Amino acid sequence: MSELNEKELVNYLAEKTKVPAASVSLVLKYEQAFIDKAQNSAKGQVVDIDSDELVDFVLKQRDVKLDEVTIETILDLEMDYLVEHGFAEHED
């Protein structure tokens, strides 16, 4: 499996959503912060990320100027990209 190219991912998401790359990067940065916090709290156990909680967390950030639907779209397309490129799998 190849290494994830974050710049390629951001450009892909920006192109698909028509959202500036800087805004996409911000969403992904806060997504990672949310996931890291959840993993630290889980103390080595499997982490189940609630997408609604994640979107709410990103929306609460002062420097994010996107609406809820746009953030959800970015995150959904990110998952599609990760699955398509072999970095993740959809759960049943």
Side-chain angles (χ1 to χ4, degrees), residues 1 7 12-17 25 32-33 35-39 51-52 54 59 62 72 78 81 87 91:
M1 178 170 21
K7 185 176 181 179
Y12 170 84
L13 295 172
E15 181 182 313
K16 289 284 190 183
T17 61
S25 290
Q32 190 59 54
I35 292 169
D36 290 346
K37 184 178 177 188
Q39 287 177 332
S51 61
D52 291 334
L54 172 57
L59 275 171
R62 291 183 183 185
E72 287 175 350
E78 177 199 22
Y81 177 94
F87 295 104
E91 282 190 10

Side-chain angles (χ1 to χ4, degrees), residues 3-4 11 13 29 33 41 44-45 61 65 69 74-76 83-84 88 90-91:
E3 191 171 317
L4 177 63
N11 289 336
L13 295 172
K29 178 182 95 169
S41 298
Q45 295 184 4
Q61 306 310 310
K65 307 295 184 210
V69 172
I74 290 169
L75 296 173
D76 288 346
V83 169
E84 183 178 314
H90 279 294
E91 282 190 10

